Amino acid sequence: IERDTHSDSTELYIDILIKRGTLHKEAEDHKNAISYFQKSLDILQNTKSYNYCEVSALLGSCYYAIGRQKEARKSYLVSFRTLETYRSTLKDDYYNYLLNVSDIFSNNGEYQLADSCYNEVYSWYKKNKSKDELLHVIERLCTNAYRAHDYNNEIKYISDRINVLDNKMNVHTADACVDLGGAYMSIGQYKDAKQCFDKAMQFYNKNTIEPLKRAILFNNLSVLYLETGNYDKAEYYALKAFEIKKDAISLDHPSYALALNTLAVLYCKLDKFQIALEYGLKASELNKLNLGEESDAYIRSLCDNSKIYFNLGMYQESESQLLTALEILSRLSISNVTTNGLVLSNLADLYSELGN
């Protein structure tokens, strides 16, 4: 009625289009939602209003939901750039929205762009927000750096987190020490990692801590001793972590598959390949079931299983694991460069061994 009575550029008509798009989005009918949002954007495109910014973001979320990553990224960037013109007037709204956009960039594999946006929010939060809100942003910075395998920045952000906590030892600081130790391990600084784990262990031993936190620390210690060649201690902590997780969490928890994978890698190092294969196949099965076959954890577990098959002389099975991983990576619009390199490197080693 509004379109026929007046014109299809009136404020009410645009509002109706957005509401209809939102209804379809909530019903997970993304195809029709995209149609309505796009119609409203076509009318709003010359205004560059805050409305235009919001609808661009809604359109991006619909594209993201149906796996059209390039269109999603384009819509979010349009939304973000439009929003920048409102930075001085919106303030809180601007930075809250920027935080959400940063999450989407990170989830989309746009780690560098996400880091830049998170840091802009972080700078503003330091001056205007509470300690808890600031810690929330730092945790997102840490997660993004971890996803990007940017361990130096991860170390920097976790250190910031500990500073915001005033370096007072409590459960949050102890948890941060475990994370910091993990980041140090990733760049081979095992002495620094051990110091961080020791700090956390001292606190955990003196206080009542939920079992999973203790298991995560044990799992990290197992990896540390595995990397430094102390296999007895590595096995001791890996089994302790596994026993805790068996009782404390369900099979669909990612940490359970991680414990299995740690045992698989350990027993492979100890030349106990049949035991390693048993744990490794179970870990990859759970990663695929719970996280999906396109997850980094599943692809990396295929690489670990390939090594075990290789050591058992089962070269065809070893190759199959790596080719499956490579095929999955080829389907991803954005894949982890480090994981890609790992798969290709392992394939090269296999073909070299086979004289190919």
Side-chain angles (χ1 to χ4, degrees):
I1 293 170
E2 179 64 22
R3 183 183 59 195
D4 293 341
T5 308
H6 301 286
S7 77
D8 59 6
S9 62
T10 61
E11 190 175 322
L12 179 57
Y13 178 59
I14 295 167
D15 192 42
I16 291 167
L17 286 175
I18 296 170
K19 280 184 167 64
R20 292 192 73 175
T22 304
L23 283 169
H24 282 285
K25 180 179 180 292
E26 288 172 355
E28 297 185 4
D29 177 9
H30 297 107
K31 185 178 178 182
N32 277 315
I34 286 169
S35 173
Y36 284 114
F37 290 143
Q38 191 58 63
K39 281 180 187 175
S40 61
L41 281 179
D42 290 343
I43 300 167
L44 288 165
Q45 63 181 338
N46 295 321
T47 66
K48 303 300 181 192
S49 62
Y50 187 61
N51 226 7
Y52 181 82
C53 166
E54 285 189 306
V55 178
S56 295
L58 288 167
L59 182 62
S61 66
C62 289
Y63 279 131
Y64 185 74
I66 59 175
R68 291 167 64 176
Q69 311 288 0
K70 288 182 180 177
E71 291 99 328
R73 183 182 188 277
K74 183 179 176 182
S75 295
Y76 282 122
L77 280 173
V78 167
S79 175
F80 172 52
R81 285 166 184 159
T82 306
L83 188 72
E84 281 189 308
T85 61
Y86 294 88
R87 185 191 315 229
S88 59
T89 54
L90 290 171
K91 291 185 180 175
D92 255 27
D93 285 346
Y94 170 77
Y95 289 103
N96 290 337
Y97 179 77
L98 183 56
L99 191 57
N100 292 331
V101 171
S102 305
D103 289 342
I104 290 151
F105 288 148
S106 183
N107 292 335
N108 239 357
E110 299 278 354
Y111 304 122
Q112 198 169 358
L113 189 56
D115 185 74
S116 173
C117 294
Y118 280 134
N119 268 297
E120 187 179 339
V121 177
Y122 180 38
S123 297
W124 192 79
Y125 269 44
K126 275 199 284 190
K127 299 173 186 173
N128 300 282
K129 294 287 186 175
S130 69
K131 182 187 290 187
D132 286 343
E133 288 172 305
L134 184 59
L135 284 168
H136 190 50
V137 179
I138 296 173
E139 282 166 12
R140 282 154 128 155
L141 277 161
C142 293
T143 300
N144 184 66
Y146 174 77
R147 286 172 172 172
H149 295 265
D150 181 2
Y151 301 116
N152 287 313
N153 258 336
E154 188 187 5
I155 288 167
K156 173 183 175 295
Y157 296 138
I158 298 171
S159 300
D160 286 351
R161 186 169 138 205
I162 292 170
N163 288 334
V164 171
L165 290 164
D166 300 323
N167 286 301
K168 293 176 182 175
M169 189 51 75
N170 55 40
V171 66
H172 302 297
T173 316
D175 292 346
C177 285
V178 174
D179 293 341
L180 187 58
Y184 275 128
M185 270 203 306
S186 298
I187 59 172
Q189 294 188 18
Y190 300 118
K191 186 177 178 182
D192 292 324
K194 181 68 165 56
Q195 287 175 353
C196 292
F197 294 148
D198 285 346
K199 282 182 185 178
M201 182 74 87
Q202 287 171 13
F203 180 81
Y204 286 177
N205 286 340
K206 292 177 183 176
N207 297 274
T208 304
I209 299 295
E210 59 181 274
L212 185 56
K213 289 183 186 293
R214 203 177 293 275
I216 290 169
L217 173 58
F218 289 160
N219 202 86
N220 274 301
L221 281 166
S222 173
V223 175
L224 173 70
Y225 286 123
L226 182 62
E227 292 295 329
T228 52
N230 191 335
Y231 297 135
D232 287 342
K233 281 193 173 181
E235 185 176 20
Y236 170 77
Y237 282 112
L239 289 171
K240 284 194 77 167
F242 183 58
E243 288 303 316
I244 292 171
K245 287 177 180 180
K246 268 204 311 186
D247 296 333
I249 57 178
S250 61
L251 290 178
D252 60 358
H253 196 290
S255 194
Y256 187 81
L258 178 63
L260 289 168
N261 203 69
T262 302
L263 284 166
V265 173
L266 170 67
Y267 286 122
C268 187
K269 289 263 190 183
L270 295 173
D271 295 341
K272 297 178 180 179
F273 301 121
Q274 288 294 348
I275 300 173
L277 187 60
E278 181 185 335
Y279 283 121
L281 290 176
K282 186 63 178 174
S284 62
E285 178 191 335
L286 290 175
N287 280 326
K288 183 178 181 179
L289 182 66
N290 300 322
L291 301 176
E293 69 169 19
E294 294 184 354
S295 67
D296 205 51
Y298 175 64
I299 295 169
R300 284 176 168 265
S301 63
L302 289 176
C303 291
D304 290 331
N305 291 343
S306 171
K307 285 182 182 177
I308 299 168
Y309 279 126
F310 181 87
N311 283 295
L312 284 167
M314 300 169 70
Y315 300 124
Q316 191 173 349
E317 289 83 355
S318 179
E319 181 187 32
S320 175
Q321 297 282 304
L322 293 172
L323 290 178
T324 299
L326 201 61
E327 190 275 325
I328 294 168
L329 287 166
S330 71
R331 285 191 267 121
L332 299 178
S333 57
I334 299 170
S335 58
N336 192 303
V337 175
T338 308
T339 306
N340 252 320
L342 178 66
V343 174
L344 291 168
S345 177
N346 286 354
L347 264 173
D349 289 344
L350 172 64
Y351 290 138
S352 176
E353 180 68 21
L354 297 175
N356 188 344

